[in-house]
Amino acid sequence: MSANERSTRAFREILQKPGNDACADCGAPDPNWGSCTLGVFICLACSGIHRNIPDISKVKSLTLSRWEDHELEFMAQNGNELMKSKYEAAVPVYYYKPTHKDCQVLREQWIRAKYERREFSEPGKFTYEEGIRDGMLMKRGRDNGQFLSRRFVLSEREGTLKYFTKYDAKEPKAVIKVDSINATFQPEKIGNPNGLQITYLKDYSTRNMFVYHDNGKEIVDWFNSIRAVQLHYLKVAFPGATDAELVPRLTRNFVKEGYMEKTGPRQTEGFKKRWFTLDHRRLMYFKDPLDAFAKGEVFLGNKNYGYSASSGLPAGTHCNGAFEYGITIQTPDRCFLFTCETESDQQDWLKRFNDIMSAQMSPQEYTMEATFRHKH
């Protein structure tokens, strides 16, 4: 039996152990790489990140590389579950653990935080809970689209994120309450691998802010610091709630984004192409993906209260846009008509809308609905 056959047979057995059937770092199924210095099984994408920290992790393919007997023994003795209990012993509840669907900078900083900086091996080694974070980020100008260096200050005591146009400016340009913030990484939209979109409510309207930092660790630290302050705020606001109830209310990825076409309330105007962002029950549309303000928003309530989404457009609708796959959203106040470019896109949007409309609404969402209907 060749060395390769021997290792393949050995791995078949080792991979049966609990936890070894998914990547130790991002949870992708069927990992086909291993770190013979850390004793974990990882996916191809995460193996590339491990390769960038060669003094910590030496990676090999489970099927193509030659494995020594002592390395096989090491992998058999360790594995994902055991190493998780070592390297993830003290991950703070607010820290965002990326999945295989998340962007590179989130996954890389998670891997570096775990194995290189050993942040989570024992409590209290992380720097996200200092109560205040003060630093410079590159921020996209609302009107000119240029990225300029701006000072940001996150304060746990005040429960705010402020930004200043000059480092020594006395007054902030904006004071944002942390409970209204959502932060989500958007490298493709922003055109920077460390691009972060910060969304917040201003006078009941959604405002987008686009920032980045050249240093991946710095931008991910800002992201997790915002989550730490948000959790602190929520614990004060809801003293009886558990971490499991509060963590889903921290920053979140959007449910779906993409182009659709829409017509106006009279439904006689032409269909115009717009960028749509679905943030749980709020469907927002923008002229351009990088616009600061939404042109409009649609609240998606529960289907038992007059909300529905269906394929197609009402009979007699004159569809004069480029897209042909229609969607009709009915709310208690009006009907919204959209078109998608492809049938698969139409079906995906419809599934997301119907999933949301089928879910029970929280007390906060009823409040949001009332505000929304009053405003519109």
Side-chain angles (χ1 to χ4, degrees):
M1 187 189 299
S2 71
N4 260 22
E5 286 172 335
R6 199 162 64 248
S7 64
T8 301
R9 183 176 288 183
F11 280 131
R12 203 173 290 140
E13 200 173 304
I14 299 168
L15 288 168
Q16 300 300 313
K17 285 174 71 175
N20 290 347
D21 60 344
C23 174
D25 298 325
C26 74
D30 305 319
N32 51 8
W33 287 75
S35 169
C36 58
T37 48
L38 294 170
V40 292
F41 294 93
I42 51 179
C43 68
L44 175 64
C46 287
S47 77
I49 298 169
H50 278 251
R51 218 176 263 118
N52 289 333
I53 41 174
D55 49 333
I56 307 285
S57 185
K58 183 183 174 191
V59 294
K60 288 185 171 187
S61 163
L62 301 189
T63 51
L64 302 175
S65 304
R66 179 185 168 83
W67 289 77
E68 304 296 338
D69 287 345
H70 69 90
E71 292 172 331
L72 289 170
E73 198 176 318
F74 180 73
M75 298 301 284
Q77 285 171 351
N78 292 293
N80 292 359
E81 291 284 291
L82 187 62
M83 290 300 97
K84 215 166 252 196
S85 68
K86 176 183 178 181
Y87 290 106
E88 296 182 31
V91 183
V93 288
Y94 58 78
Y95 189 96
Y96 183 79
K97 289 187 186 183
T99 72
H100 58 99
K101 293 177 181 172
D102 282 302
C103 64
Q104 177 82 0
V105 70
L106 270 175
R107 285 184 291 120
E108 177 170 358
Q109 290 308 315
W110 164 235
I111 288 167
R112 287 186 180 275
K114 270 206 294 187
Y115 306 117
E116 187 179 42
R117 301 194 290 271
R118 302 285 294 270
E119 285 184 21
F120 313 125
S121 299
E122 54 192 72
K125 288 189 75 175
F126 22 84
T127 59
Y128 317 108
E129 295 171 26
E130 293 172 346
I132 194 149
R133 179 172 282 275
D134 186 335
M136 306 299 283
L137 296 173
M138 298 299 288
K139 176 190 170 293
R140 188 178 192 272
R142 192 181 86 185
D143 301 317
N144 60 14
Q146 282 184 310
F147 280 91
L148 296 167
S149 185
R150 296 287 181 252
R151 182 186 178 196
F152 283 78
V153 179
L154 175 69
S155 167
E156 183 182 281
R157 189 174 57 80
E158 295 178 14
T160 58
L161 175 67
K162 299 175 184 175
Y163 86 87
F164 301 80
T165 48
K166 292 195 175 70
Y167 186 81
D168 55 358
K170 295 279 186 285
E171 293 299 316
K173 179 82 163 106
V175 179
I176 306 159
K177 289 189 167 67
V178 291
D179 61 324
S180 80
I181 288 178
N182 186 38
T184 177
F185 278 91
Q186 296 275 12
E188 288 172 19
K189 189 198 282 189
I190 294 171
N192 184 288
N194 302 337
L196 185 69
Q197 179 174 347
I198 295 174
T199 302
Y200 61 97
L201 288 176
K202 183 180 179 182
D203 305 327
Y204 300 111
S205 289
T206 302
R207 166 86 159 92
N208 289 327
M209 198 157 59
F210 302 96
V211 299
Y212 71 85
H213 195 284
D214 288 329
N215 182 299
K217 178 182 183 299
E218 185 71 17
I219 198 72
V220 174
D221 284 359
W222 271 100
F223 175 69
N224 281 303
S225 295
I226 289 170
R227 288 173 63 89
V229 171
Q230 286 181 322
L231 184 63
H232 173 83
Y233 177 90
L234 287 168
K235 283 188 164 179
V236 172
F238 306 99
T242 63
D243 287 343
E245 289 168 322
L246 297 179
V247 167
R249 298 182 56 184
L250 303 182
T251 59
R252 64 211 167 264
N253 292 325
F254 295 133
V255 177
K256 184 173 169 67
E257 288 195 288
Y259 284 109
M260 288 193 285
E261 291 186 333
K262 73 171 288 293
T263 185
R266 291 194 301 278
Q267 297 170 5
T268 52
E269 306 94 327
F271 277 76
K272 290 181 181 149
K273 190 176 177 182
R274 296 287 180 254
W275 177 264
F276 284 81
T277 297
L278 180 57
D279 185 5
H280 195 45
R281 290 196 183 274
R282 288 178 23 242
L283 177 66
M284 298 164 274
Y285 49 94
F286 305 84
K287 207 167 182 178
D288 182 272
L290 293 169
D291 281 349
F293 291 99
K295 284 191 77 65
E297 302 186 34
V298 184
F299 183 85
L300 305 180
N302 184 278
K303 62 182 182 184
N304 296 328
Y305 298 98
Y307 294 88
S308 67
S310 55
S311 60
L313 301 173
T317 305
H318 184 53
C319 184
N320 50 8
F323 298 173
E324 55 184 284
Y325 297 93
I327 292 177
T328 299
I329 290 183
Q330 186 69 53
T331 75
D333 301 317
R334 66 170 272 204
C335 185
F336 293 88
L337 306 184
F338 310 113
T339 53
C340 303
E341 190 169 14
T342 65
E343 188 178 6
S344 63
D345 207 21
Q346 173 206 43
Q347 293 307 310
D348 191 38
W349 278 110
L350 273 173
K351 182 186 182 310
R352 312 290 179 140
F353 295 151
N354 283 309
D355 285 351
I356 288 164
M357 290 175 184
S358 299
Q360 292 300 314
M361 280 168 60
S362 68
Q364 291 86 357
E365 287 169 345
Y366 280 112
T367 306
M368 187 193 291
E369 180 190 36
T371 306
F372 209 91
R373 291 181 69 178
H374 175 70
K375 187 183 84 166
H376 292 269

